[in-house]
Amino acid sequence: LGDQVERRIARVAAGAPSLAAAMAVLGDGGSLAVAAELAGMSTDEAGEIAYRLRRIEVLDSEDPFVFVHPLVRRSVYDSMSTTQRDAHHGTAAGLLKQAGAAPEVVAAHRAAVRPSGSVAAATAMVRAAGEALARGAPDEAIRWYRRALAEDAPEPPRAELLGALGTAEVALLDPAALDHLRRALEESTDPVFNARVAVTLAPPLFAAGQWTESADVIANAQAELGDRDPALSAELAGVGLMISSYSLVVGDRTPASEQRLDELTAGPSWAALALAAM
């Protein structure tokens, strides 16, 4: 089928294979103008070729373009080399971002390229994860964060990606969250970031029966944070009190007390601090 489709497309026009390849990369429902730009031709030329591709039943519609059958699109896509597909997906991601496409659409093209340490790719996936979380889809966010980690780019920092991944996994009660949040703490030297991770990590550790580690996570974060962030200190103290109230064994490991919590949350500035931290 692939060979037959290639031969039919090649007979349409010199630029037909390039346009069909661009369309196969972009997928059904794409814009003809974007496909033309990706194929390196004018919109008018692309329009004429698209019309003829529909006449020979390669396309079902021209703009937005739709292949006549998923197998036809797949045969065109598979006719490209891996290097060609990587290049097309990378260029498509840039074009679609400029056109205002949704973060998930841009990230999908970045993710289709083999990991290469690309900051642009990792950043696109983090944006897509943020959009997924905003609409209440932590499972999708987890996939994006994992792919961003696989990109192995210098930015965003690996600790931040591990922390974000672990936080999304906590929402789904995924045991993998514990390992990812631990690794985030190991790889970070930022006391504020570490305190936020500790607030997320300590409760599931406690729920898993790892009371001592849970208490130590809070105690270490409190020691590192100091007086840098009163609102965050109050969160740590609150979690520490929760842990110590359930287990006398770890009571002396968390330097939190009701008096300390009262001190941190006292005064008219507390509400402003809490709002500023949101």
Side-chain angles (χ1 to χ4, degrees), residues 191-212:
V192 174
F193 172 80
N194 289 349
R196 293 196 179 104
V197 171
V199 167
T200 304
L201 173 59
L205 276 175
F206 185 82
Q210 301 179 49
W211 296 359
T212 300

